[in-house]
Amino acid sequence: MSDHVYKKVELVGSSPESIEKAIENALAKAAKTLNHMDWFEVLETRGHIVNGAVGHYQVVIKVGFRLDD
Amino acid sequence: MSDHVYKKVELVGSSPESIEKAIENALAKAAKTLNHMDWFEVLETRGHIVNGAVGHYQVVIKVGFRLDD
Amino acid sequence: MSDHVYKKVELVGSSPESIEKAIENALAKAAKTLNHMDWFEVLETRGHIVNGAVGHYQVVIKVGFRLDD
Amino acid sequence: MSDHVYKKVELVGSSPESIEKAIENALAKAAKTLNHMDWFEVLETRGHIVNGAVGHYQVVIKVGFRLDD
Amino acid sequence: MSDHVYKKVELVGSSPESIEKAIENALAKAAKTLNHMDWFEVLETRGHIVNGAVGHYQVVIKVGFRLDD
Amino acid sequence: MSDHVYKKVELVGSSPESIEKAIENALAKAAKTLNHMDWFEVLETRGHIVNGAVGHYQVVIKVGFRLDD
Amino acid sequence: MSDHVYKKVELVGSSPESIEKAIENALAKAAKTLNHMDWFEVLETRGHIVNGAVGHYQVVIKVGFRLDD
Amino acid sequence: MSDHVYKKVELVGSSPESIEKAIENALAKAAKTLNHMDWFEVLETRGHIVNGAVGHYQVVIKVGFRLDD
Amino acid sequence: MSDHVYKKVELVGSSPESIEKAIENALAKAAKTLNHMDWFEVLETRGHIVNGAVGHYQVVIKVGFRLDD
Amino acid sequence: MSDHVYKKVELVGSSPESIEKAIENALAKAAKTLNHMDWFEVLETRGHIVNGAVGHYQVVIKVGFRLDD
Amino acid sequence: MSDHVYKKVELVGSSPESIEKAIENALAKAAKTLNHMDWFEVLETRGHIVNGAVGHYQVVIKVGFRLDD
Amino acid sequence: MSDHVYKKVELVGSSPESIEKAIENALAKAAKTLNHMDWFEVLETRGHIVNGAVGHYQVVIKVGFRLDD
């Protein structure tokens, strides 16, 4: 990370299966427009309830990516 | 969520299997007495250690539900 | 927990598979040198991104263990 | 507040008009079942966006009320 | 805490004597209607001033109790 | 919010009239370039003082919008 | 703000009408003794409940003012 | 608290005896120059260690007092 | 504290009597293995409830001690 | 800041020399694509360690810039 | 710090050169009216941007000083 | 950081010169007993005041180091 500059963007991914899958879905979407994604940080984990059970998980993450030199 | 009023309650669910399962257990219990549960927010994730490994996960959540009109 | 004194240490475990597995890895390592580990608290969940997907999860935890009498 | 004990509950009120009206709506609803409501604290202010403008405000509050002696 | 589900409620106790006594007062009140109270967490410590000295301490706590199976 | 991915951006709106108007101004500006804006969260409320009175309110918000599929 | 030094003080204003009016009341009071007030930051919004409705809003603000050169 | 404006100041009291006594010492000192002190809030509790035991407790509080009309 | 380097460790002490006594118990235990303990900071105050009353207080502290030169 | 709307972006700059230089590097990079940058806020200061000494500082900042009218 | 009572005030210093210089400027100003200043704590570091570079650093500090006996 | 486990310790370094130097001093001390130090995070920046100016800076950091395999 010596001389690089990074930017962080905040995303919300969701999945009916798991917290990990919600993170993966957010990254997969971001990967279509961002290069050099380097790390993520989970800010919030929440979800929607349907019929008294988890409908889907919603995970708010920050993604850090390197700006082109 | 236009004119409704919601209440949030704080619950702790646990499971020896996973964080998701601990959330599901808390919701299943709450579903016995609460109607109109709409969303949850994870506040804390912790757990008990048995013999140097996870005994069970404990997840503190807030559950939002709509008050009857 | 009546008269005991506990110490907490902060660890970072990682796993390419899941958040739970990252926690387990940190505990397994700590169990080699610490006795009487009693509970853990998740402080941060983050991870490394490789080719636009999760490379591995990194989970920062605090582990509480009882000091010998 | 000398010898009394108070309880706090967390509510979410909403209004298309203003933050104050969203608070009032939550209190009006709570007043139907709670006596001795004494104070409120705003925890979060948020809202829903419809066609690029505020659809309604959502205000999360804690309400403190005195428990009957 | 293996398979149980817990609920947390937020209370404010007060006492002219001490912080500990304010906590005890809140618990004594709660014990009249709640079973299986298991732990408490202090959230805020504050108080009322009368004639330039502490009139009474006010302690905001969360109380965790096990939901009946 | 089932399978969608959302992005959040942070904006600061201002208004000499009210907190609500400052939020509306930020949304109106954002609506010129963003589609599918879904919700906002107020992070900070502050303002400029002119001649001992509020010159204008400044409200920092996060706006969540759905990324195109 | 180049070479100036600023001080911040913490005030609580109240109003039965609105959050904005509570802020204005605090500033009006402070303006009697402070010069060069430059900005304010809202720290907490709360209020007193009378007969199940808002009696008055109480807004905790920090006010920044320039120290005389 | 209807139309009054309050100011808060931050103080640190200390005592070799107890947390409560440290608060009382800070209030006693403040009472020499401040009128209308109304409430306090504990921000931090800490202390100095002498020979492996508590030398004295240091308690950081905010004190709210009404500004003269 | 001119040129010294300090380390902080996190401990949990408990006592059925008081918050102060729980702090003292943690320090007494730590004093058996640590030299040059200089200050402590209270992070959390909590406790166990037995039969609707405080069973014992649990206080989480950080202890700062000077590293040998 | 009367009628303008501002946006904030989060950047990470780094420098082997100093915290200030890491901030300057992030700004210099951002200045290539952003106009009207007005202020920054430091969120986190951290760094990489090489051979037991600071390899480079990493400073996370938010940059606020005015959106074109 | 045995029996003394301390007060904390919040100041904002600025400097075009460095974070340290901004702190020093705030202290120099405060030293003209306050005696017995004992310690400071940095709360926020921010700054103004001019032509895409740091115009000046602004550092918000709390200064603790002993009240006269 | 693939399969490794890291531990974090909290240190306080000081220097009369600069914030950076205080960090370096803490690392230099830690390097005498810790191997594989990898990163640091600044938690608090504060200092001692002597004669109305900075006597020395005190910087609280967390240091992360890899546990031996």
Side-chain angles (χ1 to χ4, degrees):
Chain A
M1 209 191 238
S2 56
D3 254 27
H4 299 309
V5 174
Y6 292 77
K7 187 175 176 180
K8 293 193 202 180
V9 291
E10 191 167 340
L11 301 171
V12 187
S14 61
S15 159
E17 284 172 59
S18 70
I19 293 168
E20 283 84 349
K21 194 76 182 140
I23 294 170
E24 291 281 14
N25 285 350
L27 294 183
K29 183 80 176 187
K32 292 178 183 167
T33 55
L34 295 179
N35 292 314
H36 310 309
M37 294 197 301
D38 203 45
W39 81 95
F40 67 92
E41 309 162 21
V42 175
L43 300 188
E44 288 177 70
T45 303
R46 39 194 304 150
H48 200 65
I49 302 174
V50 177
N51 294 329
V54 176
H56 52 263
Y57 296 93
Q58 299 162 332
V59 184
V60 184
I61 61 174
K62 279 194 184 163
V63 174
F65 59 97
R66 182 161 50 81
L67 294 176
D68 289 321
D69 297 313
Chain B
M1 208 191 239
S2 56
D3 254 28
H4 300 309
V5 174
Y6 293 76
K7 187 175 176 181
K8 293 193 200 179
V9 291
E10 191 166 340
L11 301 172
V12 187
S14 61
S15 158
E17 285 171 59
S18 70
I19 292 168
E20 283 85 349
K21 193 77 183 140
I23 294 171
E24 290 280 14
N25 285 350
L27 293 184
K29 184 80 177 187
K32 291 180 183 167
T33 55
L34 294 179
N35 293 314
H36 311 308
M37 293 198 301
D38 203 45
W39 82 94
F40 68 91
E41 309 161 22
V42 175
L43 301 188
E44 287 177 71
T45 302
R46 38 195 303 151
H48 200 64
I49 303 173
V50 177
N51 293 329
V54 176
H56 51 262
Y57 296 94
Q58 298 163 332
V59 183
V60 184
I61 60 174
K62 279 194 183 164
V63 173
F65 58 97
R66 182 161 50 81
L67 294 176
D68 289 322
D69 297 313
Chain C
M1 208 191 237
S2 56
D3 255 27
H4 300 309
V5 173
Y6 293 75
K7 187 176 176 180
K8 293 193 200 179
V9 291
E10 192 167 340
L11 301 171
V12 187
S14 61
S15 159
E17 285 172 59
S18 70
I19 293 167
E20 284 84 349
K21 195 75 184 140
I23 295 170
E24 291 281 13
N25 285 351
L27 294 183
K29 183 80 177 188
K32 292 181 182 166
T33 55
L34 293 179
N35 293 314
H36 313 307
M37 294 198 301
D38 203 44
W39 82 94
F40 68 91
E41 310 161 21
V42 174
L43 300 188
E44 288 177 69
T45 303
R46 40 196 302 152
H48 200 65
I49 302 173
V50 178
N51 293 329
V54 176
H56 52 263
Y57 296 94
Q58 298 163 332
V59 184
V60 184
I61 61 174
K62 279 194 182 165
V63 174
F65 58 97
R66 182 161 50 82
L67 294 176
D68 289 323
D69 298 312
Chain D
M1 209 190 237
S2 56
D3 254 29
H4 299 309
V5 174
Y6 293 76
K7 187 175 176 180
K8 292 192 199 180
V9 291
E10 193 166 338
L11 301 171
V12 187
S14 61
S15 159
E17 285 171 59
S18 69
I19 293 167
E20 284 84 349
K21 194 76 183 140
I23 295 170
E24 289 282 14
N25 285 350
L27 293 184
K29 183 80 176 186
K32 291 180 182 166
T33 54
L34 294 179
N35 294 313
H36 311 308
M37 294 197 300
D38 204 45
W39 83 94
F40 68 90
E41 309 161 21
V42 175
L43 300 189
E44 287 177 70
T45 303
R46 39 196 303 152
H48 199 65
I49 302 173
V50 177
N51 293 329
V54 176
H56 52 263
Y57 296 94
Q58 299 162 332
V59 184
V60 184
I61 60 173
K62 279 194 184 166
V63 173
F65 58 98
R66 182 161 50 81
L67 294 176
D68 290 321
D69 296 313
Chain E
M1 206 191 242
S2 56
D3 254 27
H4 300 308
V5 174
Y6 292 76
K7 187 176 176 179
K8 293 193 200 181
V9 291
E10 192 166 339
L11 300 171
V12 187
S14 61
S15 158
E17 285 171 58
S18 70
I19 293 167
E20 284 85 348
K21 194 74 183 141
I23 295 169
E24 290 281 13
N25 285 350
L27 294 183
K29 184 78 176 187
K32 292 179 182 167
T33 54
L34 294 179
N35 293 313
H36 311 309
M37 293 197 301
D38 203 46
W39 82 94
F40 68 91
E41 310 161 21
V42 175
L43 300 189
E44 287 177 69
T45 303
R46 39 195 303 151
H48 200 64
I49 302 174
V50 177
N51 293 328
V54 176
H56 52 261
Y57 296 93
Q58 298 162 331
V59 184
V60 184
I61 60 174
K62 279 194 183 165
V63 173
F65 59 96
R66 181 161 51 81
L67 294 175
D68 290 321
D69 297 314
Chain F
M1 206 189 241
S2 55
D3 254 29
H4 300 308
V5 174
Y6 293 76
K7 187 175 176 180
K8 293 193 200 180
V9 291
E10 192 167 338
L11 301 172
V12 188
S14 61
S15 160
E17 286 172 58
S18 70
I19 294 168
E20 284 85 349
K21 195 74 184 139
I23 295 170
E24 290 281 13
N25 285 351
L27 294 184
K29 184 79 177 188
K32 291 179 183 167
T33 54
L34 294 179
N35 293 313
H36 311 308
M37 293 197 301
D38 203 46
W39 82 95
F40 67 91
E41 310 161 20
V42 175
L43 300 189
E44 287 178 69
T45 304
R46 38 195 305 150
H48 200 65
I49 302 174
V50 177
N51 294 328
V54 175
H56 51 262
Y57 297 93
Q58 298 162 332
V59 184
V60 184
I61 60 174
K62 279 195 183 164
V63 173
F65 58 97
R66 182 160 51 82
L67 294 176
D68 290 321
D69 298 313
Chain G
M1 206 190 240
S2 55
D3 255 28
H4 300 308
V5 174
Y6 293 76
K7 186 176 177 180
K8 293 192 200 181
V9 291
E10 191 166 339
L11 300 172
V12 188
S14 60
S15 159
E17 285 171 59
S18 69
I19 293 167
E20 283 85 349
K21 194 75 183 140
I23 294 170
E24 289 281 13
N25 285 350
L27 293 184
K29 183 79 176 187
K32 292 179 183 167
T33 55
L34 295 178
N35 293 314
H36 311 308
M37 294 197 301
D38 204 46
W39 82 95
F40 67 91
E41 310 161 20
V42 175
L43 300 188
E44 287 177 69
T45 303
R46 37 195 304 151
H48 199 64
I49 302 173
V50 178
N51 294 328
V54 176
H56 51 263
Y57 296 94
Q58 298 163 331
V59 184
V60 185
I61 60 174
K62 279 194 184 164
V63 174
F65 59 99
R66 181 161 50 81
L67 294 176
D68 289 322
D69 297 314
Chain H
M1 206 190 241
S2 56
D3 253 29
H4 300 308
V5 174
Y6 293 75
K7 187 175 175 181
K8 293 192 199 181
V9 291
E10 192 166 339
L11 301 171
V12 188
S14 61
S15 160
E17 285 172 59
S18 69
I19 293 167
E20 284 85 349
K21 195 75 183 140
I23 294 170
E24 289 282 13
N25 285 350
L27 294 184
K29 184 79 177 186
K32 291 180 183 167
T33 54
L34 294 178
N35 293 313
H36 311 308
M37 293 197 302
D38 204 45
W39 82 94
F40 67 90
E41 310 161 22
V42 175
L43 300 189
E44 287 178 69
T45 302
R46 38 196 302 151
H48 199 65
I49 302 174
V50 178
N51 293 330
V54 176
H56 51 264
Y57 296 94
Q58 298 163 332
V59 184
V60 184
I61 60 174
K62 279 194 183 165
V63 173
F65 58 98
R66 182 161 50 81
L67 293 176
D68 289 323
D69 298 314
Chain I
M1 207 191 239
S2 55
D3 254 28
H4 301 308
V5 174
Y6 293 76
K7 186 176 177 180
K8 293 193 200 180
V9 291
E10 192 167 338
L11 301 172
V12 187
S14 61
S15 158
E17 284 171 59
S18 70
I19 293 167
E20 284 85 348
K21 194 76 183 139
I23 295 170
E24 290 282 13
N25 285 350
L27 294 184
K29 184 79 177 188
K32 291 180 182 167
T33 54
L34 295 179
N35 293 313
H36 312 307
M37 294 197 301
D38 203 45
W39 82 93
F40 67 91
E41 310 161 20
V42 174
L43 300 189
E44 288 177 69
T45 303
R46 39 195 303 151
H48 199 65
I49 302 173
V50 177
N51 294 328
V54 176
H56 51 263
Y57 296 93
Q58 298 163 332
V59 184
V60 184
I61 60 174
K62 279 194 184 165
V63 173
F65 59 97
R66 181 162 51 81
L67 294 176
D68 289 322
D69 296 313
Chain J
M1 208 190 238
S2 56
D3 255 28
H4 300 309
V5 174
Y6 292 76
K7 187 176 177 180
K8 292 192 199 179
V9 292
E10 193 166 339
L11 301 172
V12 188
S14 62
S15 160
E17 284 172 60
S18 70
I19 293 167
E20 285 84 350
K21 194 76 182 136
I23 295 170
E24 290 281 14
N25 285 350
L27 294 184
K29 183 80 178 188
K32 291 179 183 166
T33 55
L34 294 179
N35 293 314
H36 311 308
M37 293 197 302
D38 203 45
W39 82 95
F40 67 91
E41 310 161 21
V42 174
L43 301 189
E44 288 177 68
T45 304
R46 40 195 304 151
H48 199 64
I49 302 172
V50 177
N51 293 329
V54 176
H56 51 263
Y57 296 94
Q58 298 162 332
V59 184
V60 184
I61 61 173
K62 279 195 183 164
V63 173
F65 58 98
R66 182 161 51 81
L67 294 176
D68 289 322
D69 297 313
Chain K
M1 209 192 240
S2 56
D3 254 28
H4 300 309
V5 174
Y6 293 76
K7 186 175 175 180
K8 293 192 199 179
V9 292
E10 191 165 339
L11 301 171
V12 188
S14 61
S15 159
E17 284 172 59
S18 69
I19 293 167
E20 284 84 349
K21 194 75 182 141
I23 295 170
E24 290 281 13
N25 285 350
L27 293 184
K29 184 79 176 187
K32 291 180 182 166
T33 55
L34 294 178
N35 293 313
H36 312 308
M37 294 198 301
D38 204 45
W39 82 94
F40 68 91
E41 310 160 21
V42 175
L43 301 188
E44 288 177 68
T45 302
R46 38 195 304 151
H48 200 65
I49 302 173
V50 177
N51 293 328
V54 176
H56 52 264
Y57 297 93
Q58 299 163 331
V59 184
V60 184
I61 60 173
K62 279 194 182 163
V63 173
F65 58 98
R66 182 161 50 82
L67 294 176
D68 289 322
D69 298 313
Chain L
M1 207 191 239
S2 56
D3 254 29
H4 299 309
V5 174
Y6 293 76
K7 187 176 176 180
K8 293 192 200 181
V9 292
E10 192 167 339
L11 300 172
V12 187
S14 61
S15 158
E17 285 172 58
S18 71
I19 293 167
E20 284 85 349
K21 194 75 184 142
I23 294 169
E24 290 281 13
N25 285 349
L27 294 184
K29 183 79 176 187
K32 292 179 182 167
T33 54
L34 294 178
N35 293 314
H36 311 307
M37 294 198 300
D38 203 44
W39 82 95
F40 68 91
E41 309 162 21
V42 174
L43 301 188
E44 287 177 70
T45 303
R46 38 194 305 150
H48 200 64
I49 302 173
V50 177
N51 294 328
V54 176
H56 52 263
Y57 297 94
Q58 298 162 332
V59 184
V60 184
I61 61 173
K62 279 194 183 164
V63 174
F65 58 96
R66 182 161 51 81
L67 293 176
D68 289 321
D69 299 312

